[in-house]
Amino acid sequence: MMQNEIQLKPEEDDYSDISLRPMDVDDIDDFMVWATDDKVSQYCSWSTYTSKEQAMNYMTNIVAPHPWLRAICLKNRVIGSISVTPFQGNDACRGELGYVLASKYWGKGIATRAVKMVASVIFVEWPHLERLEALVDVANVGSQRVLMKAGFEREGVLRKYRILKGRTRDMVIFSLLSSEVTQS
Ligand SMILES: CC(C)(COP(=O)(O)OP(=O)(O)OC[C@H]1O[C@@H](n2cnc3c(N)ncnc32)[C@H](O)[C@@H]1OP(=O)(O)O)[C@@H](O)C(=O)NCCC(=O)NCCS
């Protein structure tokens, strides 16, 4: 090995092999890793899961019929999820982005990479979509940083906008427009 050359430990420290794929009930054990973690649910609308039965209901009632929900995989291992929920009727021009990652993998650029991947495909898959938006708790600094790094515009703060875990929260709203995404 050359002097000053940094060698990666095998199987560790390489977080570049990120892919997205549909999630299903076979992923329930991986799902439970982040769903049962209070650190993960802190700024989310859902409460920390306490049973596999709850997870099964989520898989059946939310994941299976969801129009666009993907597992985030690191080397084909499911470590999180990301979704775009379309609005209907007069709001059909926009969709809401959401994402979650097991805490063990935070701070390695994985969510940013996943958001960029979604942005590069969603406007192609859904040509009617003109705006991808995300609402983030003002205290969720890491998530705001993800969106900024992925090229979203911070539009402002929606005051007393959402009740999360019994507390009314100010939310930061971000958006990315189809016209701002260059397709390769
Ligand atoms: C938010 C979340 C998806 C971020 O995933 P991630 O893979 O760690 O994100 P990235 O590594 O791509 O980027 C995180 C950035 O935020 C920064 N960050 C994280 N926590 C921070 C904090 N408390 N203060 C300042 N910066 C912070 C990181 O340093 C990094 O920025 P950098 O690359 O400039 O150093 C992950 O923390 C998570 O799953 N949280 C729980 C669920 C959640 O909040 N989802 C979003 C709901 S809107």
Side-chain angles (χ1 to χ4, degrees):
M1 189 169 92
M2 302 269 293
Q3 209 179 4
N4 297 333
E5 192 180 331
I6 298 166
Q7 198 172 33
L8 294 175
K9 288 181 224 137
E11 302 299 318
E12 283 181 45
D13 301 347
D14 178 8
Y15 300 101
S16 61
D17 187 2
I18 302 298
S19 56
L20 305 181
R21 66 151 171 82
M23 190 158 93
D24 65 33
V25 73
D26 292 339
D27 300 314
I28 197 160
D29 290 333
D30 293 324
F31 171 82
M32 286 296 279
V33 172
W34 72 81
T36 56
D37 185 343
D38 286 335
K39 285 198 296 296
V40 174
S41 66
Q42 184 182 9
Y43 298 118
C44 298
S45 53
W46 46 274
S47 299
T48 308
Y49 283 61
T50 54
S51 73
K52 212 159 170 174
E53 191 189 350
Q54 282 177 300
M56 193 57 89
N57 286 339
Y58 175 75
M59 290 290 173
T60 308
N61 299 323
I62 305 292
V63 175
H66 199 288
W68 211 97
L69 189 150
R70 301 287 182 269
I72 301 172
C73 303
L74 172 64
K75 295 183 184 124
N76 292 320
R77 180 79 196 263
V78 176
I79 61 165
S81 72
I82 190 160
S83 64
V84 180
T85 304
F87 290 87
Q88 307 293 331
N90 291 342
D91 298 324
C93 52
R94 60 195 170 96
E96 183 169 352
L97 178 68
Y99 43 82
V100 62
L101 201 64
S103 56
K104 183 179 166 189
Y105 299 98
W106 291 3
K108 304 176 191 317
I110 295 173
T112 303
R113 195 180 286 255
V115 169
K116 286 179 176 173
M117 290 167 93
V118 172
S120 73
V121 297
I122 196 69
F123 295 112
V124 178
E125 288 188 28
W126 291 352
H128 67 279
L129 199 72
E130 295 178 73
R131 169 188 165 99
L132 188 57
E133 67 181 28
L135 269 70
V136 185
D137 190 298
V138 281
N140 193 352
V141 182
S143 184
Q144 292 174 49
R145 181 89 189 106
V146 165
L147 294 163
M148 293 302 290
K149 287 195 291 179
F152 281 62
E153 182 164 320
R154 185 186 190 276
E155 296 182 316
V157 176
L158 303 168
R159 298 179 300 163
K160 301 289 177 203
Y161 195 73
R162 199 166 264 181
I163 302 166
L164 290 181
K165 313 276 153 50
R167 295 190 305 152
T168 308
R169 307 294 302 160
D170 292 351
M171 304 295 288
V172 188
I173 185 158
F174 290 85
S175 71
L176 181 74
L177 304 184
S178 57
S179 55
E180 294 164 339
V181 177
T182 47
Q183 304 297 342
S184 50

